[in-house]
Amino acid sequence: MSNAENLIQNNQLDHGSRRQRINRLLARPDIWQAANEQQRPRNGITTGYPGLDALLAGNGWPRGATTELLVDQSGIGELSLLLPALAEMTQREQMVVLINPPFIPYAPALAAAGVRLEKLLILHPRGQRDQLWAMEQTLQSGCCGALLSWQGGPPPADKDLRRLQVAAREGNAMHFHFRPSSCAASPSPAALRLQLASDGEQLVLQLQKQLGGASGQRLHLARNSDLTRRDRPLH
Amino acid sequence: MLWLCIQFPRLPLQALTRAQTGPIDETPRAVAEQQLIVDANPAANQRGIECGLTIATACALSAELELLTRDTERESQLLQELAQWGYSFTPVVSPMAAGPVENGESRAACLYLELSGCLRASGGLQPLLEQLRRELEQMQITATMGLGHSPSAAHMLSQLPEHRQWLQEAKSPPTAQQWRQWISFSPSKLLDCDHKTTAKLYACGIKRVSQLLAIPLSEVGSRFGRNFVDYLARLNGSRHDPVPSYQPPPQFHSELFFPTPLDNSEQLLFPTGRLVRELCQQLQRRQLYAQQLRWKLDFGQKGCQVVSVEVSRPLLDAQRLIALTKLQFERVHLEQEVQALHLTCDQLQPLEESVLDDDLFGESSNLQRSHQLLDKLKARLGHEAMSGVTLRESHLPEQAWQSADTLILQSGRRQHGHQVKPVNAPRPSWFLQRPDPIKARENKLFYRGEIQLLQGPERIDGYWWQHHRHARDYYIARGEEGSLYWVYQDLTSAEWYLQGIYA
């Protein structure tokens, strides 16, 4: 083989490996390419609310990622927002784990929403270390469809949030993390951040951040009319 | 019949030091009984310390000698464990305890295994012997082996160096002719008889068994007694040679003793791994599985602590069992030094084929993963931190659900038969542990600001026959900031309470 041929071949090899490296870089889930927006797989789990699905990049709740729900007040419909997705998960034989819920998840309401109770696990770990450990193990396990966690006590460190995000990716699990809205100012590795509030009648969602999608939009979701219809006997 | 005799010449020392990690032969160690050394490790041997020396002489030979007292109870326990180990290879096993010390010497403890029945299952003589040797080495037990057509012959040949050499490379058991040659080749001091008889044999000039066999039996009987003739017949194979048969207990028990106590739970990990691997090997061969591993941390005179690891499914994977145990041990705070570690498994269950078949299908591998997760969570967080919820049939809201054991998750299948249906009325997704009182003033209700009743009432008036009558009017109410609450008025006291939140 002549020198020239050798050089050309080397160049080609070099070029090939560089191309490979770029492709590998582009394949990373945290790199967003505006040009490829249309080709991105829309592999979210439907939220059960068409209006919300349309706003979300994956056409639903992101799988294998953390979703932060910033909420200060309970009773505005923050759990109902997730119930359709949870019902679907449990019906597909996947586990749903609740870590440190602030109140007792009321079985009759969950069952009525279609959640299969035998797939629901509630954890109350003792300290923050055990809590983070349990969250990571659950997300990684690969058998957990969704993990809902409530932050009690001091906010977790940035590196812990990052670890949880990685764990969710490994186990391909949905992670919903409820945090007070005072955390909105601090950056977070979560793939999706939603601020939840109430305007008195409806649940107001504000998209704070979304990987691979636009943010800043606002969405009003009406409460179930069975609940809010006035002056009607319950039975 | 093909008998293997495994002698454990170092059992007195190894029963006490088996738990040690790493190279153990650095410091000279010896075991003493009644002022005499009965066992010493190679480091001690190098310094001239041997069995039969008095403690005073031994200490004079080496100042750094570590002296341990012989613990015959621990030895016989270890021999039982070894018998259990042997039983996992062949059903015909007989352990024999060490003989009493006589002139500084004693017959080593040994184990007889009948191999003819298990040769084929183990892939032949050589692979079987190799496996036995390897596992003994893993357990850090020194052993010498002998193969014979009767237990007595195997015992004698296990002491013959030439025979042991041959056994290293033996591919198939020798013929009857070859046995006879091995036996007659043996020096007569290897015969299993008392010192008086041995002395008498030498006095007669009988140095090899062949010389003894050349004498007519009646002659031998008149000189050495009936028992000796009997022994020769058993050695020869011309008479049945019975040994007590061993029946394993329906449980697993093994222990490791630490001559230098451990004060740190991390140090427990190495011995834990060894015990779990021993357990898994045996369970696998006996086709059993354990549902619970009970660890006992022995603090000597200061009591003990029991840690149990529960396993929801048949699990023979040593790595996973070690990981589960590790999680439990991490929660343990050692206040005392650990002197010994015991592992006990009661209620060994037969491993059914259907249980293992599950693994072949992808669907249940998901189920398997969830079992693994549950076991792991249970091990670190404890039983009390985990729960599930189920429905209950009741009119009373607080009795319409109950906390359930996480076991329902493990069934993995929909429960058949009677199923409770939830009530067909809007129920809140959050429920309060106990009702929270609501202030009522001037016909207005206040809970973090004023709340308005949206709809109601739904009267729940149940259990009027009970002592405590529950009569309540339930309403859905809205708080100032838009939260929806489930509130009720107790009809007997007219007080208002919050019981649920429509989250």
Side-chain angles (χ1 to χ4, degrees), chain A residues 32-64:
Chain A
W32 174 62
Q33 288 172 271
N36 290 346
E37 179 51 22
Q38 296 309 314
Q39 297 165 19
R40 279 184 77 84
R42 300 186 161 256
N43 59 352
I45 303 291
T46 177
T47 61
Y49 302 91
L52 181 56
D53 281 351
L55 279 186
L56 297 175
N59 241 339
W61 297 120
R63 219 169 171 178

PDB file of all heavy atoms in Angstrom, chain A residues 32-64:
ATOM      1  N   TRP A  32     -30.466  18.946  23.669  1.00  0.00           N
ATOM      2  CA  TRP A  32     -31.661  19.195  22.867  1.00  0.00           C
ATOM      3  C   TRP A  32     -31.268  19.848  21.565  1.00  0.00           C
ATOM      4  O   TRP A  32     -30.499  20.824  21.542  1.00  0.00           O
ATOM      5  CB  TRP A  32     -32.611  20.090  23.661  1.00  0.00           C
ATOM      6  CG  TRP A  32     -33.801  20.518  22.868  1.00  0.00           C
ATOM      7  CD1 TRP A  32     -34.749  19.720  22.333  1.00  0.00           C
ATOM      8  CD2 TRP A  32     -34.143  21.854  22.517  1.00  0.00           C
ATOM      9  NE1 TRP A  32     -35.669  20.449  21.683  1.00  0.00           N
ATOM     10  CE2 TRP A  32     -35.340  21.780  21.767  1.00  0.00           C
ATOM     11  CE3 TRP A  32     -33.570  23.106  22.764  1.00  0.00           C
ATOM     12  CZ2 TRP A  32     -35.964  22.905  21.268  1.00  0.00           C
ATOM     13  CZ3 TRP A  32     -34.208  24.219  22.268  1.00  0.00           C
ATOM     14  CH2 TRP A  32     -35.387  24.122  21.522  1.00  0.00           C
ATOM     15  N   GLN A  33     -31.762  19.299  20.470  1.00  0.00           N
ATOM     16  CA  GLN A  33     -31.442  19.873  19.170  1.00  0.00           C
ATOM     17  C   GLN A  33     -32.711  20.475  18.598  1.00  0.00           C
ATOM     18  O   GLN A  33     -33.686  19.772  18.357  1.00  0.00           O
ATOM     19  CB  GLN A  33     -30.963  18.778  18.223  1.00  0.00           C
ATOM     20  CG  GLN A  33     -29.592  18.259  18.555  1.00  0.00           C
ATOM     21  CD  GLN A  33     -29.299  17.067  17.685  1.00  0.00           C
ATOM     22  OE1 GLN A  33     -29.618  15.949  18.060  1.00  0.00           O
ATOM     23  NE2 GLN A  33     -28.740  17.295  16.519  1.00  0.00           N
ATOM     24  N   ALA A  34     -32.660  21.761  18.383  1.00  0.00           N
ATOM     25  CA  ALA A  34     -33.832  22.432  17.829  1.00  0.00           C
ATOM     26  C   ALA A  34     -34.175  21.866  16.458  1.00  0.00           C
ATOM     27  O   ALA A  34     -35.339  21.678  16.115  1.00  0.00           O
ATOM     28  CB  ALA A  34     -33.568  23.925  17.735  1.00  0.00           C
ATOM     29  N   ALA A  35     -33.141  21.535  15.690  1.00  0.00           N
ATOM     30  CA  ALA A  35     -33.380  21.095  14.313  1.00  0.00           C
ATOM     31  C   ALA A  35     -34.125  19.766  14.275  1.00  0.00           C
ATOM     32  O   ALA A  35     -34.881  19.492  13.351  1.00  0.00           O
ATOM     33  CB  ALA A  35     -32.049  20.965  13.591  1.00  0.00           C
ATOM     34  N   ASN A  36     -33.905  18.936  15.257  1.00  0.00           N
ATOM     35  CA  ASN A  36     -34.498  17.609  15.224  1.00  0.00           C
ATOM     36  C   ASN A  36     -35.799  17.522  16.007  1.00  0.00           C
ATOM     37  O   ASN A  36     -36.255  16.430  16.323  1.00  0.00           O
ATOM     38  CB  ASN A  36     -33.517  16.581  15.785  1.00  0.00           C
ATOM     39  CG  ASN A  36     -32.356  16.391  14.850  1.00  0.00           C
ATOM     40  OD1 ASN A  36     -32.415  16.816  13.705  1.00  0.00           O
ATOM     41  ND2 ASN A  36     -31.307  15.776  15.348  1.00  0.00           N
ATOM     42  N   GLU A  37     -36.333  18.660  16.360  1.00  0.00           N
ATOM     43  CA  GLU A  37     -37.492  18.681  17.239  1.00  0.00           C
ATOM     44  C   GLU A  37     -38.599  17.754  16.743  1.00  0.00           C
ATOM     45  O   GLU A  37     -39.197  17.021  17.515  1.00  0.00           O
ATOM     46  CB  GLU A  37     -37.996  20.123  17.373  1.00  0.00           C
ATOM     47  CG  GLU A  37     -39.210  20.286  18.250  1.00  0.00           C
ATOM     48  CD  GLU A  37     -39.068  19.647  19.606  1.00  0.00           C
ATOM     49  OE1 GLU A  37     -37.926  19.414  20.072  1.00  0.00           O
ATOM     50  OE2 GLU A  37     -40.099  19.343  20.200  1.00  0.00           O
ATOM     51  N   GLN A  38     -38.842  17.764  15.439  1.00  0.00           N
ATOM     52  CA  GLN A  38     -39.946  16.967  14.897  1.00  0.00           C
ATOM     53  C   GLN A  38     -39.675  15.467  15.000  1.00  0.00           C
ATOM     54  O   GLN A  38     -40.600  14.681  15.081  1.00  0.00           O
ATOM     55  CB  GLN A  38     -40.192  17.350  13.431  1.00  0.00           C
ATOM     56  CG  GLN A  38     -40.650  18.793  13.239  1.00  0.00           C
ATOM     57  CD  GLN A  38     -41.832  19.159  14.116  1.00  0.00           C
ATOM     58  OE1 GLN A  38     -42.792  18.408  14.213  1.00  0.00           O
ATOM     59  NE2 GLN A  38     -41.764  20.324  14.774  1.00  0.00           N
ATOM     60  N   GLN A  39     -38.384  15.097  14.973  1.00  0.00           N
ATOM     61  CA  GLN A  39     -38.075  13.669  14.944  1.00  0.00           C
ATOM     62  C   GLN A  39     -38.004  13.039  16.322  1.00  0.00           C
ATOM     63  O   GLN A  39     -37.866  11.841  16.449  1.00  0.00           O
ATOM     64  CB  GLN A  39     -36.716  13.444  14.263  1.00  0.00           C
ATOM     65  CG  GLN A  39     -36.712  13.877  12.822  1.00  0.00           C
ATOM     66  CD  GLN A  39     -35.303  13.998  12.294  1.00  0.00           C
ATOM     67  OE1 GLN A  39     -34.377  13.442  12.865  1.00  0.00           O
ATOM     68  NE2 GLN A  39     -35.156  14.718  11.206  1.00  0.00           N
ATOM     69  N   ARG A  40     -38.027  13.885  17.322  1.00  0.00           N
ATOM     70  CA  ARG A  40     -37.876  13.313  18.667  1.00  0.00           C
ATOM     71  C   ARG A  40     -38.990  12.330  18.956  1.00  0.00           C
ATOM     72  O   ARG A  40     -40.144  12.574  18.634  1.00  0.00           O
ATOM     73  CB  ARG A  40     -37.914  14.426  19.706  1.00  0.00           C
ATOM     74  CG  ARG A  40     -36.614  15.142  19.856  1.00  0.00           C
ATOM     75  CD  ARG A  40     -36.732  16.137  20.966  1.00  0.00           C
ATOM     76  NE  ARG A  40     -36.662  15.480  22.258  1.00  0.00           N
ATOM     77  CZ  ARG A  40     -35.514  15.172  22.845  1.00  0.00           C
ATOM     78  NH1 ARG A  40     -34.384  15.411  22.245  1.00  0.00           N
ATOM     79  NH2 ARG A  40     -35.508  14.599  24.023  1.00  0.00           N
ATOM     80  N   PRO A  41     -38.656  11.206  19.565  1.00  0.00           N
ATOM     81  CA  PRO A  41     -39.713  10.255  19.900  1.00  0.00           C
ATOM     82  C   PRO A  41     -40.623  10.850  20.964  1.00  0.00           C
ATOM     83  O   PRO A  41     -40.152  11.459  21.917  1.00  0.00           O
ATOM     84  CB  PRO A  41     -38.946   9.045  20.444  1.00  0.00           C
ATOM     85  CG  PRO A  41     -37.629   9.586  20.885  1.00  0.00           C
ATOM     86  CD  PRO A  41     -37.327  10.746  20.004  1.00  0.00           C
ATOM     87  N   ARG A  42     -41.888  10.715  20.709  1.00  0.00           N
ATOM     88  CA  ARG A  42     -42.847  11.235  21.691  1.00  0.00           C
ATOM     89  C   ARG A  42     -43.300  10.068  22.549  1.00  0.00           C
ATOM     90  O   ARG A  42     -44.303   9.432  22.282  1.00  0.00           O
ATOM     91  CB  ARG A  42     -44.001  11.906  20.965  1.00  0.00           C
ATOM     92  CG  ARG A  42     -43.482  13.053  20.124  1.00  0.00           C
ATOM     93  CD  ARG A  42     -44.579  13.862  19.496  1.00  0.00           C
ATOM     94  NE  ARG A  42     -44.025  15.152  19.112  1.00  0.00           N
ATOM     95  CZ  ARG A  42     -44.246  16.263  19.798  1.00  0.00           C
ATOM     96  NH1 ARG A  42     -45.002  16.238  20.863  1.00  0.00           N
ATOM     97  NH2 ARG A  42     -43.714  17.402  19.396  1.00  0.00           N
ATOM     98  N   ASN A  43     -42.509   9.772  23.549  1.00  0.00           N
ATOM     99  CA  ASN A  43     -42.743   8.537  24.303  1.00  0.00           C
ATOM    100  C   ASN A  43     -43.242   8.789  25.715  1.00  0.00           C
ATOM    101  O   ASN A  43     -43.009   7.994  26.598  1.00  0.00           O
ATOM    102  CB  ASN A  43     -41.471   7.698  24.327  1.00  0.00           C
ATOM    103  CG  ASN A  43     -40.325   8.470  24.955  1.00  0.00           C
ATOM    104  OD1 ASN A  43     -40.478   9.664  25.230  1.00  0.00           O
ATOM    105  ND2 ASN A  43     -39.212   7.811  25.187  1.00  0.00           N
ATOM    106  N   GLY A  44     -43.882   9.912  25.932  1.00  0.00           N
ATOM    107  CA  GLY A  44     -44.402  10.201  27.270  1.00  0.00           C
ATOM    108  C   GLY A  44     -45.582   9.305  27.597  1.00  0.00           C
ATOM    109  O   GLY A  44     -46.098   8.586  26.758  1.00  0.00           O
ATOM    110  N   ILE A  45     -45.970   9.354  28.872  1.00  0.00           N
ATOM    111  CA  ILE A  45     -47.156   8.617  29.313  1.00  0.00           C
ATOM    112  C   ILE A  45     -48.274   9.626  29.373  1.00  0.00           C
ATOM    113  O   ILE A  45     -48.150  10.653  30.040  1.00  0.00           O
ATOM    114  CB  ILE A  45     -46.928   8.046  30.727  1.00  0.00           C
ATOM    115  CG1 ILE A  45     -45.703   7.158  30.764  1.00  0.00           C
ATOM    116  CG2 ILE A  45     -48.153   7.322  31.226  1.00  0.00           C
ATOM    117  CD1 ILE A  45     -45.837   5.879  30.032  1.00  0.00           C
ATOM    118  N   THR A  46     -49.354   9.315  28.706  1.00  0.00           N
ATOM    119  CA  THR A  46     -50.415  10.317  28.629  1.00  0.00           C
ATOM    120  C   THR A  46     -50.910  10.714  30.021  1.00  0.00           C
ATOM    121  O   THR A  46     -51.025   9.890  30.921  1.00  0.00           O
ATOM    122  CB  THR A  46     -51.573   9.805  27.758  1.00  0.00           C
ATOM    123  OG1 THR A  46     -52.593  10.803  27.777  1.00  0.00           O
ATOM    124  CG2 THR A  46     -52.147   8.504  28.280  1.00  0.00           C
ATOM    125  N   THR A  47     -51.145  12.009  30.184  1.00  0.00           N
ATOM    126  CA  THR A  47     -51.538  12.512  31.498  1.00  0.00           C
ATOM    127  C   THR A  47     -53.025  12.309  31.743  1.00  0.00           C
ATOM    128  O   THR A  47     -53.490  12.418  32.867  1.00  0.00           O
ATOM    129  CB  THR A  47     -51.266  14.023  31.600  1.00  0.00           C
ATOM    130  OG1 THR A  47     -52.050  14.679  30.598  1.00  0.00           O
ATOM    131  CG2 THR A  47     -49.815  14.333  31.377  1.00  0.00           C
ATOM    132  N   GLY A  48     -53.754  12.025  30.686  1.00  0.00           N
ATOM    133  CA  GLY A  48     -55.200  11.926  30.837  1.00  0.00           C
ATOM    134  C   GLY A  48     -55.885  13.260  30.595  1.00  0.00           C
ATOM    135  O   GLY A  48     -57.107  13.336  30.582  1.00  0.00           O
ATOM    136  N   TYR A  49     -55.094  14.325  30.411  1.00  0.00           N
ATOM    137  CA  TYR A  49     -55.638  15.655  30.111  1.00  0.00           C
ATOM    138  C   TYR A  49     -55.077  16.075  28.756  1.00  0.00           C
ATOM    139  O   TYR A  49     -53.887  16.423  28.675  1.00  0.00           O
ATOM    140  CB  TYR A  49     -55.239  16.658  31.192  1.00  0.00           C
ATOM    141  CG  TYR A  49     -55.683  16.258  32.576  1.00  0.00           C
ATOM    142  CD1 TYR A  49     -54.849  15.494  33.384  1.00  0.00           C
ATOM    143  CD2 TYR A  49     -56.924  16.639  33.056  1.00  0.00           C
ATOM    144  CE1 TYR A  49     -55.253  15.116  34.656  1.00  0.00           C
ATOM    145  CE2 TYR A  49     -57.337  16.269  34.336  1.00  0.00           C
ATOM    146  CZ  TYR A  49     -56.496  15.502  35.120  1.00  0.00           C
ATOM    147  OH  TYR A  49     -56.900  15.129  36.373  1.00  0.00           O
ATOM    148  N   PRO A  50     -55.891  16.076  27.699  1.00  0.00           N
ATOM    149  CA  PRO A  50     -55.373  16.365  26.340  1.00  0.00           C
ATOM    150  C   PRO A  50     -54.676  17.714  26.263  1.00  0.00           C
ATOM    151  O   PRO A  50     -53.648  17.850  25.580  1.00  0.00           O
ATOM    152  CB  PRO A  50     -56.632  16.349  25.472  1.00  0.00           C
ATOM    153  CG  PRO A  50     -57.636  15.573  26.248  1.00  0.00           C
ATOM    154  CD  PRO A  50     -57.314  15.747  27.690  1.00  0.00           C
ATOM    155  N   GLY A  51     -55.190  18.706  26.972  1.00  0.00           N
ATOM    156  CA  GLY A  51     -54.584  20.027  26.936  1.00  0.00           C
ATOM    157  C   GLY A  51     -53.162  20.013  27.475  1.00  0.00           C
ATOM    158  O   GLY A  51     -52.260  20.665  26.932  1.00  0.00           O
ATOM    159  N   LEU A  52     -52.960  19.251  28.507  1.00  0.00           N
ATOM    160  CA  LEU A  52     -51.644  19.173  29.115  1.00  0.00           C
ATOM    161  C   LEU A  52     -50.699  18.356  28.229  1.00  0.00           C
ATOM    162  O   LEU A  52     -49.535  18.722  28.028  1.00  0.00           O
ATOM    163  CB  LEU A  52     -51.751  18.551  30.505  1.00  0.00           C
ATOM    164  CG  LEU A  52     -50.467  18.409  31.307  1.00  0.00           C
ATOM    165  CD1 LEU A  52     -49.767  19.740  31.470  1.00  0.00           C
ATOM    166  CD2 LEU A  52     -50.752  17.808  32.678  1.00  0.00           C
ATOM    167  N   ASP A  53     -51.218  17.252  27.668  1.00  0.00           N
ATOM    168  CA  ASP A  53     -50.406  16.429  26.768  1.00  0.00           C
ATOM    169  C   ASP A  53     -49.830  17.273  25.644  1.00  0.00           C
ATOM    170  O   ASP A  53     -48.673  17.118  25.258  1.00  0.00           O
ATOM    171  CB  ASP A  53     -51.255  15.306  26.156  1.00  0.00           C
ATOM    172  CG  ASP A  53     -51.438  14.156  27.133  1.00  0.00           C
ATOM    173  OD1 ASP A  53     -50.759  14.183  28.179  1.00  0.00           O
ATOM    174  OD2 ASP A  53     -52.250  13.262  26.856  1.00  0.00           O
ATOM    175  N   ALA A  54     -50.657  18.179  25.128  1.00  0.00           N
ATOM    176  CA  ALA A  54     -50.224  18.992  23.997  1.00  0.00           C
ATOM    177  C   ALA A  54     -49.067  19.905  24.369  1.00  0.00           C
ATOM    178  O   ALA A  54     -48.208  20.208  23.548  1.00  0.00           O
ATOM    179  CB  ALA A  54     -51.404  19.807  23.476  1.00  0.00           C
ATOM    180  N   LEU A  55     -49.031  20.311  25.632  1.00  0.00           N
ATOM    181  CA  LEU A  55     -47.968  21.210  26.063  1.00  0.00           C
ATOM    182  C   LEU A  55     -46.648  20.489  26.278  1.00  0.00           C
ATOM    183  O   LEU A  55     -45.584  21.064  26.161  1.00  0.00           O
ATOM    184  CB  LEU A  55     -48.354  21.871  27.399  1.00  0.00           C
ATOM    185  CG  LEU A  55     -49.284  23.066  27.380  1.00  0.00           C
ATOM    186  CD1 LEU A  55     -49.384  23.632  28.790  1.00  0.00           C
ATOM    187  CD2 LEU A  55     -48.751  24.129  26.439  1.00  0.00           C
ATOM    188  N   LEU A  56     -46.729  19.206  26.633  1.00  0.00           N
ATOM    189  CA  LEU A  56     -45.530  18.487  27.051  1.00  0.00           C
ATOM    190  C   LEU A  56     -44.780  17.936  25.844  1.00  0.00           C
ATOM    191  O   LEU A  56     -45.385  17.463  24.882  1.00  0.00           O
ATOM    192  CB  LEU A  56     -45.897  17.348  28.009  1.00  0.00           C
ATOM    193  CG  LEU A  56     -46.529  17.830  29.320  1.00  0.00           C
ATOM    194  CD1 LEU A  56     -46.963  16.653  30.156  1.00  0.00           C
ATOM    195  CD2 LEU A  56     -45.575  18.710  30.101  1.00  0.00           C
ATOM    196  N   ALA A  57     -43.450  17.969  25.939  1.00  0.00           N
ATOM    197  CA  ALA A  57     -42.609  17.610  24.794  1.00  0.00           C
ATOM    198  C   ALA A  57     -42.824  16.164  24.363  1.00  0.00           C
ATOM    199  O   ALA A  57     -42.842  15.857  23.187  1.00  0.00           O
ATOM    200  CB  ALA A  57     -41.148  17.840  25.159  1.00  0.00           C
ATOM    201  N   GLY A  58     -42.984  15.267  25.315  1.00  0.00           N
ATOM    202  CA  GLY A  58     -43.137  13.862  24.962  1.00  0.00           C
ATOM    203  C   GLY A  58     -44.586  13.472  24.775  1.00  0.00           C
ATOM    204  O   GLY A  58     -44.893  12.285  24.765  1.00  0.00           O
ATOM    205  N   ASN A  59     -45.472  14.457  24.685  1.00  0.00           N
ATOM    206  CA  ASN A  59     -46.894  14.201  24.579  1.00  0.00           C
ATOM    207  C   ASN A  59     -47.435  13.528  25.828  1.00  0.00           C
ATOM    208  O   ASN A  59     -48.384  12.761  25.769  1.00  0.00           O
ATOM    209  CB  ASN A  59     -47.186  13.313  23.366  1.00  0.00           C
ATOM    210  CG  ASN A  59     -48.086  14.046  22.390  1.00  0.00           C
ATOM    211  OD1 ASN A  59     -48.771  14.993  22.771  1.00  0.00           O
ATOM    212  ND2 ASN A  59     -48.066  13.621  21.144  1.00  0.00           N
ATOM    213  N   GLY A  60     -46.807  13.772  26.930  1.00  0.00           N
ATOM    214  CA  GLY A  60     -47.254  13.177  28.185  1.00  0.00           C
ATOM    215  C   GLY A  60     -46.168  13.321  29.222  1.00  0.00           C
ATOM    216  O   GLY A  60     -45.137  13.952  28.971  1.00  0.00           O
ATOM    217  N   TRP A  61     -46.408  12.704  30.381  1.00  0.00           N
ATOM    218  CA  TRP A  61     -45.401  12.757  31.448  1.00  0.00           C
ATOM    219  C   TRP A  61     -44.116  12.114  30.959  1.00  0.00           C
ATOM    220  O   TRP A  61     -44.149  11.041  30.380  1.00  0.00           O
ATOM    221  CB  TRP A  61     -45.870  12.020  32.698  1.00  0.00           C
ATOM    222  CG  TRP A  61     -47.083  12.594  33.355  1.00  0.00           C
ATOM    223  CD1 TRP A  61     -48.265  11.954  33.557  1.00  0.00           C
ATOM    224  CD2 TRP A  61     -47.241  13.891  33.915  1.00  0.00           C
ATOM    225  NE1 TRP A  61     -49.149  12.769  34.202  1.00  0.00           N
ATOM    226  CE2 TRP A  61     -48.549  13.978  34.437  1.00  0.00           C
ATOM    227  CE3 TRP A  61     -46.409  15.012  34.031  1.00  0.00           C
ATOM    228  CZ2 TRP A  61     -49.046  15.110  35.066  1.00  0.00           C
ATOM    229  CZ3 TRP A  61     -46.908  16.144  34.651  1.00  0.00           C
ATOM    230  CH2 TRP A  61     -48.206  16.185  35.163  1.00  0.00           C
ATOM    231  N   PRO A  62     -42.966  12.736  31.188  1.00  0.00           N
ATOM    232  CA  PRO A  62     -41.709  12.139  30.725  1.00  0.00           C
ATOM    233  C   PRO A  62     -41.378  10.861  31.491  1.00  0.00           C
ATOM    234  O   PRO A  62     -41.491  10.814  32.709  1.00  0.00           O
ATOM    235  CB  PRO A  62     -40.670  13.226  30.995  1.00  0.00           C
ATOM    236  CG  PRO A  62     -41.268  14.093  32.038  1.00  0.00           C
ATOM    237  CD  PRO A  62     -42.758  14.022  31.863  1.00  0.00           C
ATOM    238  N   ARG A  63     -41.020   9.844  30.747  1.00  0.00           N
ATOM    239  CA  ARG A  63     -40.638   8.571  31.349  1.00  0.00           C
ATOM    240  C   ARG A  63     -39.145   8.562  31.612  1.00  0.00           C
ATOM    241  O   ARG A  63     -38.393   9.152  30.855  1.00  0.00           O
ATOM    242  CB  ARG A  63     -40.973   7.463  30.354  1.00  0.00           C
ATOM    243  CG  ARG A  63     -41.501   6.323  31.110  1.00  0.00           C
ATOM    244  CD  ARG A  63     -42.097   5.250  30.596  1.00  0.00           C
ATOM    245  NE  ARG A  63     -42.158   4.452  31.843  1.00  0.00           N
ATOM    246  CZ  ARG A  63     -42.693   3.288  31.913  1.00  0.00           C
ATOM    247  NH1 ARG A  63     -43.205   2.751  30.862  1.00  0.00           N
ATOM    248  NH2 ARG A  63     -42.703   2.634  33.043  1.00  0.00           N
ATOM    249  N   GLY A  64     -38.723   7.893  32.652  1.00  0.00           N
ATOM    250  CA  GLY A  64     -37.295   7.827  32.956  1.00  0.00           C
ATOM    251  C   GLY A  64     -36.714   9.173  33.316  1.00  0.00           C
ATOM    252  O   GLY A  64     -35.599   9.488  32.947  1.00  0.00           O
TER     253      GLY A  64
END
